[in-house]
Amino acid sequence: MPGAREQIRSLVLSGDTFDQPTDDLRELQLEAARETFTAHRERVPLLRTRAAATGVDEVTGLDDLVPLLFSHTSYKSYPVSLITAGRWDRLLRWYTTVSAVEAGDVDMDGVRDIDEWTDRITAAGHRPYITSGTSGKVSFLNCDAGDLSFLHDILEHLTCWPDPMPAKPTRRGYLLAPASGPMRSIDGFRWHAEVFAQPGETRLLTQDAMRVSELMSSALLRRRIAEGAATPQEISSFETASESREGELGAAMAQIVDDIAAHRDEPLLIAGMNNQQFTLIQALRARGVADGSLHPDTLVLSGGGNKGRALPDDYQQQLAAFYDGVRRVRSYGMTELQGSCLACEHGNYHVPPWVIPLVLDEPGEKLLNPGHGVVEGRFAFLDVSLEGRWGGLISGDRVFVDFSPCACGRPGPAVLPDIRRYGDLGGDDKITCAATLDSYVRGMIH
């Protein structure tokens, strides 16, 4: 008989992924938590160190998971100096401290920049997904081949939940993203196009690959500008490069706008982050495409944070108005999760069975999960599906989670729509364990 983790992963292929009996699922999840802790304690040095320091030898209940959770900053706990100085072997040592990767399996000989570094890890059978890096540092989140296969299954079988849509390549596709790059959204959009768009009928925002080095250098310079530390020459060069890039992307977006306007009566696939989607609908409106006028079999994928650009308070309402009458996937998620919490008919985000939600107090020290009802707190979780890294994480999000059955009739838990970043609520987003974890990492890589 397959183990608990494998039983939970198999639910992605079932027709009732989000309809599992609560008591049965909780028991299965706890056994899966035991399995994943046992497996990852031997493979992830930071987890092994954390378990020894906190005295957690086994998982007997959800409370045992709390001291084992990593902070959302743990995956960007490397010193930037390792990158600026080209210490790729030391950066790999950091990566193998927080991931299930053996340093001896990755060839670092002749690496010249961070893009080649990520390529070498990919060549060794892993996928180092990155986050946006608006703070000047990106997170590196390791996935192995099994994780990528499972994510592909999620996208193919659950994208259109709760109202199934045939997974047939029948649409004209538009991906508001680069052609490639180590970012989960880029891979996800490409896989969606393989499933839902006609072969050879997908248009990209750019044919260029996303470069980690450019993303990081731009973010670092923006931070230095904000701090008043950048030189006039650096600022001038940055502004010139930014204007040139924006001009190129603006021209590419204009071509996509014209093409969508010309084919609005056909089924379309439109995938992009909220920033790009908002820019797109503004341009389409200016082009004369009315709200609610796209073909009803159009599939729209959007989401993500709004870092780097301020959107109006009503941008979600504007997106909903323009895409009225089409299938628009709504979800709550993050790169650290496999898949997302998907919205039901009542707009609540149901947590997938391979994710154990752990609602904590603001410092991330105390578990608040009730037996039933709604609780407010910091969103944390254990994703038991992950193989390439430990799936226990404390996020920066303030959430309300309902552990009672949803109004749609399905069992909880479900994350309610009022989701905010603690950093946007006037606080410092301080997680108690973050400094300790960073200290562990520094000691282990030095």
Side-chain angles (χ1 to χ4, degrees), residues 178-290:
S180 62
M183 191 172 273
R184 197 188 76 169
S185 60
I186 296 175
D187 277 354
F189 290 158
R190 190 180 71 251
W191 291 339
H192 278 112
E194 292 173 0
V195 174
F196 295 103
Q198 301 172 35
E201 291 295 334
T202 296
R203 286 136 191 87
L204 300 170
L205 188 59
T206 172
Q207 294 293 335
D208 296 334
M210 187 204 69
R211 292 183 57 81
V212 183
S213 54
E214 293 178 359
L215 185 69
M216 294 188 71
S217 61
S218 295
L220 284 169
L221 185 54
R222 282 195 296 270
R223 187 170 71 180
R224 293 184 65 227
I225 291 173
E227 295 170 348
T231 67
Q233 184 177 358
E234 287 176 326
I235 296 174
S236 177
S237 297
F238 175 74
E239 290 176 344
T240 299
S242 296
E243 289 175 3
S244 175
R245 186 62 174 162
E246 288 178 6
E248 293 173 1
L249 294 180
M253 181 68 85
Q255 291 181 349
I256 287 178
V257 168
D258 288 344
D259 204 78
I260 290 177
H263 296 273
R264 73 185 82 174
D265 295 329
E266 303 173 23
L268 309 177
L269 167 68
I270 305 174
M273 308 307 284
N274 285 330
N275 288 338
Q276 288 81 18
Q277 289 280 7
F278 188 73
T279 298
L280 177 70
I281 69 166
Q282 285 182 305
L284 285 168
R285 284 168 168 166
R287 183 71 167 69
V289 179

Side-chain angles (χ1 to χ4, degrees), residues 82 87-95 117 442 445-446:
L82 297 183
R87 296 299 305 275
W88 310 118
D89 55 338
R90 294 287 289 275
L91 187 62
L92 178 62
R93 185 184 302 175
W94 166 81
Y95 194 65
W117 184 84
R442 285 194 298 270
I445 65 176
H446 290 296

Side-chain angles (χ1 to χ4, degrees), residues 399-420:
V399 296
F400 295 87
V401 180
D402 192 349
F403 285 82
S404 299
C406 179
C408 71
R410 300 178 182 88
V415 181
L416 304 184
D418 184 11
I419 302 165
R420 302 284 297 277

Side-chain angles (χ1 to χ4, degrees), residues 30 33 37 47 50-51 54 56 58-71 356-369 378-382 390 392-395 431-434 437:
L30 185 57
F37 171 62
L47 176 61
R50 183 67 173 168
T54 57
V56 178
E58 61 177 332
V59 175
T60 59
L62 297 186
D63 283 292
D64 294 327
L65 293 172
V66 176
L68 302 175
L69 300 174
F70 293 178
S71 164
I356 302 174
L358 304 166
V359 184
L360 309 180
D361 61 357
E362 186 172 345
E365 297 176 321
K366 181 181 178 182
L367 182 67
L368 305 179
N369 283 26
R378 184 181 288 274
F379 188 64
F381 57 86
L382 173 63
W390 169 240
L393 190 101
I394 304 174
S395 81
I431 300 174
T432 300
C433 69
L437 288 165

Side-chain angles (χ1 to χ4, degrees), residues 142-163:
N142 189 64
C143 296
D144 68 10
D147 296 330
L148 298 181
S149 177
F150 183 59
L151 179 58
H152 194 284
D153 286 343
I154 293 171
L155 299 180
E156 181 173 352
H157 295 280
L158 293 180
T159 288
C160 298
W161 187 88
D163 185 13

Side-chain angles (χ1 to χ4, degrees), residues 161-183:
W161 187 88
D163 185 13
M165 176 182 284
K168 295 181 179 179
T170 57
R171 294 167 182 80
R172 192 176 182 87
Y174 304 91
L175 307 187
L176 310 180
S180 62
M183 191 172 273

